[in-house]
Amino acid sequence: MFEKTTWIKLPRNVLVGHGVLDDLSAAVEDLYLSGRPLVVTSPTPDGLVGDRVRAQFDVAGTTAIETASFDAVERVVDDAEAADAGYLIGLGGGKPIDTAKMASDRLGCGFVSVPTAASHDGIVSGRSSIPEGDTRHSVAADPPLAVVADTEILAEAPWELTTAGCADIISNYTAVKDWQLAHRLKNVEYSEYAGALSQMTAEMLVESSEAIKPGFEESAWLVAKALVSSGVAMSIAGSSRPASGAEHLISHQLDRLVPGAALHGHQVGVAAIVTEYLHSGERGEWADIRDALEEMGAPTTAAELGIDDDTFLEALTTAHSIRDRYTILGDGVSEAAALEAATFTGVI
């Protein structure tokens, strides 16, 4: 008798398009949430569109954070409890959205995601990335009940944030290959649907790379749709596997070695060039990944990340030890193999 059960949690409302920020209250009303919202944001997005958000609600208050941290999560929890907030609205980039997501999980209340930059797939996924010292924690949480991504606003965000979001999605190429490898060699559970959705999303951005240009709202539309698809793939899988493999381990190790050197998306993009080479060799798709990133204006080398060659190689040879997640890195890449891969691909 087949008794397997899967609980897939997905956003109930997703609005992507021009001017949809003004439809935020309608999207929330459709959720039948009770109580007043606490807006969780940071100074820049708050100054940009905070008043437009607050004008649509009888808000319980606004909590502005400077950085994502466990202390910031605790502050949001305390503020929400003190204001008797019924749900949270995360407004901004990764920091306020990840903080609000984790805080809503702690509070047991709903969460609405309102991104002002298309910088990573956390705007939709059920995971929060919270730094602590020289370590970054990926914490499971419920995905947002609604996502409202105004492409007019996303198109005005700093271009480096958009290219970081693109690189984050393109790195799904190798994340899915790592997941498939772990399934074959370690019997890790694999979802064909989640894997196919994640891979298709990466391929869509690679194929559309020439059309993704700064200042064009259509570019923001393409990237936002890709971020939504990637987040949904993770929700279907019930893990970050569709979008996080060896390339993310390398990025996390870089965060430990040189904190703040580069944006997360840019780091995983450059790392994906190398991990694709490790998967498929000279005839692999690493050049396609590199060319797509270059076309968009994203970094393709360690130097462009602001990271020296020795540090990148150290991350590549030690990243396997970060967490118990089987990838192409196995139990470690030798220094010689790391040097050959990074040199051949032009990353160093």
Side-chain angles (χ1 to χ4, degrees), residues 4-16:
K4 182 178 179 180
T5 300
T6 300
W7 188 353
I8 300 174
K9 295 183 178 181
L10 299 169
R12 286 160 53 186
N13 289 334
V14 177
L15 278 68
V16 180

Side-chain angles (χ1 to χ4, degrees), residues 121-331:
D121 53 18
I123 65 175
V124 182
S125 75
R127 303 198 72 82
S128 293
S129 181
I130 304 293
E132 183 180 33
D134 61 357
T135 302
R136 182 171 290 274
H137 299 272
S138 180
V139 184
D142 284 345
L145 295 175
V147 181
V148 178
D150 193 320
T151 52
E152 182 180 20
I153 295 168
L154 298 180
E156 295 175 355
W159 184 241
E160 66 173 1
L161 297 180
T162 303
T163 60
C166 290
D168 199 7
I169 295 300
I170 290 173
S171 76
N172 289 9
Y173 257 118
T174 54
V176 172
K177 288 188 175 183
D178 279 324
W179 193 14
Q180 293 168 335
L181 183 67
H183 174 64
R184 292 194 301 270
L185 300 185
K186 299 295 183 180
N187 201 33
V188 170
E189 186 174 359
Y190 179 74
S191 165
E192 292 284 353
Y193 182 38
L197 179 59
S198 180
Q199 187 170 11
M200 178 194 70
T201 303
E203 290 172 352
M204 180 187 74
L205 278 194
V206 169
E207 293 169 1
S208 304
S209 59
E210 293 183 358
I212 299 175
K213 303 294 182 184
F216 286 89
E217 193 168 346
E218 185 177 356
S219 298
W221 167 261
L222 285 170
V223 179
K225 286 199 303 180
L227 293 172
V228 169
S229 295
S230 184
V232 167
M234 284 188 275
S235 293
I236 292 170
S239 80
S240 62
R241 270 290 193 177
S244 177
E247 74 295 323
H248 274 66
L249 296 181
I250 295 167
S251 177
H252 293 327
Q253 190 69 320
L254 288 172
D255 288 338
R256 291 181 173 185
L257 297 171
V258 280
L263 294 172
H264 164 78
H266 289 160
Q267 290 182 173
V268 298
V270 172
I273 297 171
V274 177
T275 55
E276 168 58 21
Y277 177 85
L278 293 175
H279 270 288
S280 306
E282 297 179 15
R283 298 181 182 275
E285 296 173 300
W286 63 267
D288 294 334
I289 295 173
R290 179 201 60 196
D291 293 347
L293 294 174
E294 189 171 41
E295 183 71 38
M296 298 171 183
T300 59
T301 68
E304 289 174 350
L305 291 174
I307 296 171
D308 64 73
D309 292 354
D310 288 342
T311 300
F312 187 86
L313 290 173
E314 181 179 354
L316 181 54
T317 54
T318 59
H320 67 283
S321 63
I322 287 182
R323 63 179 297 187
D324 184 20
R325 168 165 287 188
Y326 192 81
T327 70
I328 192 64
L329 301 178
D331 59 0

